[in-house]
Every structure is written in structure tokens, then in C-alpha cells.
Amino acid sequence: MEDVPLVGGKNASLGELYSALGEAGVRVPNGFALTADAYRDALTAADAWPRLQALLDGLDITNVTLLAQRAKEARRIVYDATGSDALRHDVAASYDKLEREYGANVAVAVRSSATAEDLPTASFAGQHESYLRV
């Protein structure tokens, strides 16, 4: 559970289940997580931080139209930054390991997991997506 800041609560919990229950003979599928560091590194490599800061500095949060425009642009910056060849390579290499363990074209679940979700002072309910049988 010490990995929560690195991979989020759901991923850390799955890792705990895999480690603890696997040894007890309970079948828990293996997996991998993209770390918060990988995400931050991708944003840094793409020089996205200053662009995001400029986009969000002084934003009038009562202007819903402007919020929507800026959110769309922020998503584009983040998507472009995290679609790097290096990150794609790391994901493909991790998936290859799963294929070696479970067979070719193994279906996986993809789940976003915030590193600060479910804290006493913050909630991200409904803000993350899950994709099953990818």
C-alpha cells in the first residue's frame, strides 16, 4: 500500500491482492500500472507544464464557456504529451509480458486511478473511466 502515491489506490490494492492471495492459491490476474512519475515525466518532456499553467492561470471559474474551451485545450496538451513513443513503448513492453504469462491477445481492463482519490478531504467519484476486455 506504500505505492498509492505512485500508482493510485485501486492499482495498489490490486497489487496487494495479487501478492497476498496469489500465494494462498487464489487466482488474481497480474497486471501493470503507469506510474504518476511516468505521467509527470511525459508532461515535462513535452514541455506541457508551462502551457497548462498559462492556460489555467487567472481562469474565471464562473465563465462556463471559457472553462469548457480551456478544458478542451488542456486535454489536447495532456493527450499529446502522454502519447509519446517512449510511453507507448513502455506500455507495449508491459503488455508483451502479460501475453507471455497469459497468451496472445490477452484481454485486459484499463482503469484510471488518481493518486489522491478517496482521501478524507477529496473525492473523485465518477471522474475516472474503466475499459473492460481491451
Side-chain angles (χ1 to χ4, degrees):
M1 290 310 295
E2 62 272 3
D3 291 332
V4 170
L6 191 61
V7 298
K10 288 179 181 58
N11 283 316
S13 293
L14 285 169
E16 293 289 325
L17 287 172
Y18 182 80
S19 295
L21 296 180
E23 293 172 2
V26 177
R27 294 179 56 193
V28 177
N30 200 355
F32 64 91
L34 295 177
T35 65
D37 289 340
Y39 180 77
R40 285 189 288 269
D41 290 348
L43 292 174
T44 298
D47 198 33
W49 295 111
R51 291 181 288 144
L52 289 168
Q53 191 69 47
L55 194 63
L56 302 174
D57 267 352
L59 181 61
D60 176 5
I61 61 171
T62 64
N63 184 336
V64 176
T65 301
L66 183 59
L67 277 172
Q69 291 169 349
R70 298 279 177 93
K72 182 179 179 182
E73 179 62 14
R75 277 191 302 275
R76 187 194 61 75
I77 291 169
V78 171
Y79 289 161
D80 288 349
T82 56
S84 70
D85 289 340
L87 201 51
R88 288 176 186 272
H89 176 270
D90 290 346
V91 170
S94 295
Y95 182 77
D96 286 346
K97 288 180 183 178
L98 288 179
E99 283 191 312
R100 286 193 298 276
E101 186 173 350
Y102 295 109
N105 300 313
V106 60
V108 297
V110 179
R111 168 76 174 148
S112 56
S113 180
T115 57
E117 68 183 335
D118 302 328
L119 294 176
T121 58
S123 174
F124 296 87
Q127 292 186 12
H128 301 291
E129 299 183 55
S130 294
Y131 300 92
L132 305 177
R133 301 197 54 78
V134 176

